[in-house]
Amino acid sequence: MQLQPTASHFIDGAYVEDTAGTKIDIIYPATGAVIGTVHAATPAIIDQALNSAKAGQKVWAAMTARDRGRILSRAAAMIMERNHELSVLETYDTGKPYQETSVADATSGADALEYFGGLAATLTGEHIPLGEDWVYTVREPLGVCVGIGAWNYPTQIACWKGAPALACGNAMVFKPSETTPMCALKVAEILHEAGVPAGVYNVIQGMGEVGAALVTDPRVDKVSLTGSVPTGKKVYAAAASHMKHVTMELGGKSPLIVFEDADIENAIGGAINGNFYSSGQVCSNGTRVFVHKDIKETFLARLAERLQNAKLGDPLDESVNFGPMVSESQMNIVLGYIEQGKAGGARLICGGERLDMPGFFLAPTVFADVTDDMVIAREEIFGPVMAVLDFEDEAEVIARANDTQFGLSAGVFTKDLSRGHRVIGQLEAGSCFINSYNDAPVEAPFGGVKASGVGRENSKEAIQHYSQVKSVYVRMGDVEAAY
Ligand code: NDP
């Protein structure tokens, strides 16, 4: 199977190739086979993309917001019409099962384009009366925004960054992860088919150094990164030295707290969604599952039983619900953590190994009797590894849940809603859940506190991060001056 993209880059409304850039193989994670290649952007390609974005942004910002919104809404409808084809592509790019990609990737990208398309014409300023004078404000675009994506949700990330950026009148240069280069090209193609002018949404390929070159370029006004905390620190520092706006969507090690009165089947469902969806490659996952000691063994027994229904195999088979790791190197990182879990004395409930089949498949893995100091309880693993920790007391579990550098998400399962709100109110996290886990509708702000990030994606909040306010003082009378 070959899925060779038309060309490596999409610049100024058209596919562009430059084979002088480093060759990047596109590997299908379910088989390990090379299914295509792209080339990293050369300095000439980076230059071309930024010049085109600079020019395209002026054309785009001069259009009415309503017209911009209509184009984004059209792109959303086109994505929904092509959902099957885009979902298959997402599966080839990431290895995630079609059962997931057909409902969670292109569709959530379309949600963002439709939502921000609808918001575009509502982005107005304020009138502030000051006696006979007044101030009015104008919400203006930032200019050229750079989006840098992780590999777990390539279509969604391209849209979650592109939709609010474009709704506010910015242009974007998007660099996907080198591991998943294909989906963002399709997003660019569809946006332009829908009527986005040339240069407004560009995609260029490459490794970290292409991202780094974009971040420090003087033509760039804002950088939005989805990636790990170490990369985030580098990108944030580089952007700060040029005083650029940033959004940082980074990693996590989020707590999911299951109280003794929780509906146990729902809590297990939340823990499954929050650890094994996309084979655990989700930033907001609740990978530290604190289970009250009174229900721990029941929880573990039933969890192990339900995990037997995970069906691993060909991700394009619609009955398969568990795919491979995105790459051999990510699989090896996760296997390393599994070994540390075993060596550290955690009790392996299930999984814990690579499966004897082609591709990069790991079995869903659960460790119990995990303690706070174990590496598997402290570091982001980004794979299908759940750590179950015991607790007895509400105040104790809150303190332990917050004892981490991360703060992306948190969840609480309890039938006592007062306790649910009280506990969530004390957890240091940006995206929280009561009796649920990992829902991410476009209407809800998404993002982290502490080392997990800066800024918010989705919802009206994202508008603050892709626009700036100009205030204009208007004097009606004479100007008084001292001399
Ligand atoms: P990385 O941090 O390794 O990479 C993220 C992106 O940044 C890639 O495109 C990468 O390029 C690029 N990059 C690397 N170095 C630099 C640099 N110095 N300057 C500019 N760009 C650079 O993350 P992964 O791709 O491995 O993704 C997994 C991480 O992403 C996890 O920590 C996960 O939690 C986080 N994540 C966060 C989300 C959120 O919304 N909070 C959502 C999804 C994932 P390349 O890799 O191609 O070399």
Side-chain angles (χ1 to χ4, degrees), residues 148-149 151-152 175 178 208 212 226-228 231 249-251 283 380 382:
I148 301 176
W151 39 256
N152 56 346
K175 186 203 87 67
E178 67 186 272
T226 296
S228 61
T231 304
E249 291 293 350
L250 309 177
C283 50
E380 183 183 46
F382 224 59

Side-chain angles (χ1 to χ4, degrees), residues 321-444:
N321 54 25
F322 199 98
M325 295 284 92
V326 76
S327 64
E328 188 165 15
S329 66
Q330 186 61 22
M331 178 187 70
N332 288 332
I333 290 170
V334 178
L335 279 171
Y337 278 111
I338 289 173
E339 286 317 308
Q340 294 201 58
K342 290 176 185 167
R347 171 162 56 115
L348 186 65
I349 300 292
C350 57
E353 62 199 359
R354 181 180 184 177
L355 294 174
D356 186 18
M357 57 200 280
F360 313 128
F361 285 89
L362 293 179
T365 298
V366 177
F367 282 108
D369 303 338
V370 176
T371 53
D372 296 351
D373 54 337
M374 288 183 190
V375 174
I376 59 165
R378 302 215 67 80
E379 296 184 12
E380 183 183 46
I381 298 176
F382 224 59
V385 182
M386 183 194 296
V388 178
L389 304 94
D390 313 350
F391 77 96
E392 287 188 59
D393 172 71
E394 182 180 309
E396 164 221 331
V397 77
I398 292 169
R400 289 169 61 201
N402 286 336
D403 182 20
T404 167
Q405 63 158 331
F406 301 107
L408 186 50
S409 292
V412 176
F413 276 85
T414 174
K415 283 194 188 129
D416 177 349
L417 272 184
S418 306
R419 171 153 71 181
H421 290 292
R422 183 170 69 236
V423 172
I424 274 294
Q426 295 173 78
L427 292 176
E428 296 163 359
S431 300
C432 297
F433 310 90
I434 296 178
N435 292 330
S436 190
Y437 205 85
N438 261 356
D439 316 75
V442 67
E443 296 88 343

Side-chain angles (χ1 to χ4, degrees), residues 1-4 34-37:
M1 174 81 191
Q2 279 291 303
L3 277 176
Q4 184 57 38
V34 175
I35 53 172
T37 54

Side-chain angles (χ1 to χ4, degrees), residues 148-153 156-157 160-161 175-179 206-213 215 225-232 234-235 248-252 281-284 330 380 382 408 446-448 452 457:
I148 301 176
W151 39 256
N152 56 346
Y153 282 82
Q156 184 186 83
I157 295 171
W160 279 19
K161 297 190 188 306
K175 186 203 87 67
S177 164
E178 67 186 272
T179 313
M207 285 68 92
E209 52 270 30
V210 171
V215 170
L225 170 80
T226 296
S228 61
V229 172
T231 304
K234 276 191 242 167
V235 172
M248 295 282 143
E249 291 293 350
L250 309 177
Q281 302 166 117
V282 179
C283 50
S284 49
Q330 186 61 22
E380 183 183 46
F382 224 59
L408 186 50
F446 182 80
S452 289
E457 292 197 312

